[in-house]
Amino acid sequence: MRPIYAIRSFLIKKINRDIRRLSSTPALCKPVFMAALLGLVSVNISQAAAAPSHHSAQKLQLIGLNTDEIDPAEDNLSDIADMLEAADDIDDSIDSVADESVLNDEAEVIDTAIPPEVAHVSLNAISPETLKTFVAVVDLVRREYVDAVNDETLFNNAMSGMLTKLDSHAEFLDAEAYENLRAFTEGDVGDVGIKVSYQPREGYWVITEVIDDSPADKKGIAVGDYLHQVGEFKLDENRQTNDVEQLLMGIAGTQVDVVTSKAGRRKHTTTLQRNNSHPQTIEIELVDGIAVVRLPAFQNDSRDRLLEGLIDLDAPVSGILLDLRDNPGGVLTSAVNVASLFMNDTDVVQVQARQNEPRVLSTTGEAILKPLPMVVLQNRYSASAAEVLASSLQAQQRATILGEVSYGKGSVQSVIPLNDEQAVKLTVANYMTATGKKIDEIGVTPDVMLSGNESTWRQQALELVKERALTSGVRFVRKPNRAQ
């Protein structure tokens, strides 16, 4: 993937003027240092868009601002204004940072150019009242919030809020979340560190266990608290324990909002990161000649581990049941690689970025498992890459899909590093089925709807595979080492 350039854009002249004008307001003197920093944002744009050739008086000024140019002790308006004047020159030495996306293959190129309506926004579009309000809020929190909060925490929260308001998948990743998300590509799913059960006597879901030092523990969630909502899903007596567990789990490093209360008192929303990791393994067992494959998530090596599991069976296989229930997705190209085991030269998914034409990802290599009849199990928590795989197998009539309508997550996130310890996870594209059908907020409708207790679904799926099973199975063996 071509480099993503982190361009530090600063509203030099406008903030300069506004700061001088606002300096006469004593209540705003101390917080203005933060208002000045507010103008320093990271934008991913191509070199071509970095310096538009016209409207120079109306465009964003691009500068290099080193942290050692700012003295944190200098917390007054006139000094900040002087600093901005000194930084008014354009710095061509822009650092390039590789996009270490875990959700896009290396060959994908994302058009990150800023469109004209953004690049040429008048400086007057940033209202002095907006800056004044932001500074006033920060100052109010500094002085009146019940606990002392340092400025760095406030700014991290501001960045996180800015991203999460875009959509439920965009996030600011701190060092721990970033490391967990990188670890996920090798096999981790995470939760927030709590267990719950429904208590009919209280009429609520009650937290029965909080793991020490887990994300929930660090945010003050305790045993006995009521859990009212996870994400957008409200909890009632109709939910199953497995439902709630799956809502709390997800790709390691991602976050989820939970609504809790102390014994039914005032409800409180807390954002938790799924950093309590659970290394995932692909479970494969042979049942009457059918290989039952439970694929919990898509990591970089899912294809290879699936093949290794079939080899380790050391017995003929006459059909495959692929269980994608509760699979939250993961690495998109991993789903394409797994699809390549079952289909030759087949379009799997269309990826649509903001400005580019849709890009089609197709299977590659030898479809080793093509001769085997196949059934796929999914449920309402099968999402993202799991839906890509199921929809492509369904569209090609390669497999029969059993279960219920899947989750309906049809967006692609790119993880863009800001430095060695922090990153932004940003929605950069939407994907559709190979035939152009929308997945987001719709999901994949199974060929055979199943309902009731999920514990019976596997047997129903097995019976269907057996009806189509090969009379003589296929045994998988490792290729001999040519060096021996």
Side-chain angles (χ1 to χ4, degrees), residues 55-106:
H55 302 287
S56 59
Q58 297 286 316
K59 64 181 178 65
L60 303 179
Q61 294 289 326
L62 305 180
I63 68 167
L65 183 61
N66 298 322
T67 55
D68 58 7
E69 294 176 12
I70 304 173
D71 182 358
E74 298 297 326
D75 202 8
N76 61 73
L77 291 174
S78 60
D79 288 344
I80 293 300
D82 292 339
M83 181 272 290
L84 293 178
E85 289 283 8
D88 199 19
D89 295 328
I90 294 177
D91 184 355
D92 292 327
S93 58
I94 298 168
D95 296 332
S96 63
V97 216
D99 181 356
E100 299 174 3
S101 169
V102 298
L103 299 176
N104 300 289
D105 71 295
E106 294 181 355

Side-chain angles (χ1 to χ4, degrees), residues 7-17 19 32-43 58-66 69-70 80-81 83-90 123 126 131:
I7 310 299
R8 296 168 179 176
S9 304
F10 214 99
L11 305 179
I12 300 297
K13 300 187 182 297
K14 172 175 173 51
I15 295 179
N16 207 351
R17 292 194 305 268
I19 286 175
V32 153
F33 175 63
M34 290 184 289
L37 288 183
L38 184 64
L40 184 64
V41 296
S42 285
V43 185
Q58 297 286 316
K59 64 181 178 65
L60 303 179
Q61 294 289 326
L62 305 180
I63 68 167
L65 183 61
N66 298 322
E69 294 176 12
I70 304 173
I80 293 300
M83 181 272 290
L84 293 178
E85 289 283 8
D88 199 19
D89 295 328
I90 294 177
L123 294 178
I126 308 296
L131 294 175

Side-chain angles (χ1 to χ4, degrees), residues 275-411:
N275 290 348
N276 191 50
S277 297
H278 301 272
Q280 298 296 294
T281 57
I282 296 178
E283 301 173 4
I284 302 181
E285 62 176 311
L286 197 65
V287 181
D288 298 332
I290 306 300
V292 180
V293 180
R294 185 167 183 85
L295 187 59
F298 289 93
Q299 280 83 39
N300 288 336
D301 60 352
S302 292
R303 174 189 179 278
D304 294 339
R305 286 195 289 152
L306 195 160
L307 288 175
E308 286 290 331
L310 292 174
I311 292 171
D312 290 342
L313 290 176
D314 195 23
V317 176
S318 56
I320 289 184
L321 168 55
L322 182 61
D323 192 343
L324 297 178
R325 288 178 295 177
D326 304 326
N327 185 315
V331 183
L332 180 60
T333 51
S334 175
V336 177
N337 291 338
V338 172
S340 298
L341 292 174
F342 300 99
M343 300 180 291
N344 276 79
D345 301 321
T346 302
D347 293 342
V348 177
V349 62
Q350 295 184 27
V351 180
Q352 175 66 69
R354 182 168 65 188
Q355 295 175 344
N356 295 344
E357 291 296 317
R359 181 179 174 222
V360 178
L361 303 183
S362 304
T363 59
T364 58
E366 182 181 358
I368 300 172
L369 307 181
K370 186 175 182 178
L372 297 172
M374 182 183 188
V375 166
V376 174
L377 262 179
Q378 67 175 31
N379 63 4
R380 58 189 176 279
Y381 301 118
S382 304
S384 192
E387 295 173 291
V388 166
L389 178 59
S391 67
S392 64
L393 293 169
Q394 183 184 55
Q396 298 299 321
Q397 299 183 338
R398 175 62 185 87
T400 302
I401 314 299
L402 273 67
E404 57 192 356
V405 177
S406 61
Y407 185 87
K409 178 185 179 295
S411 59

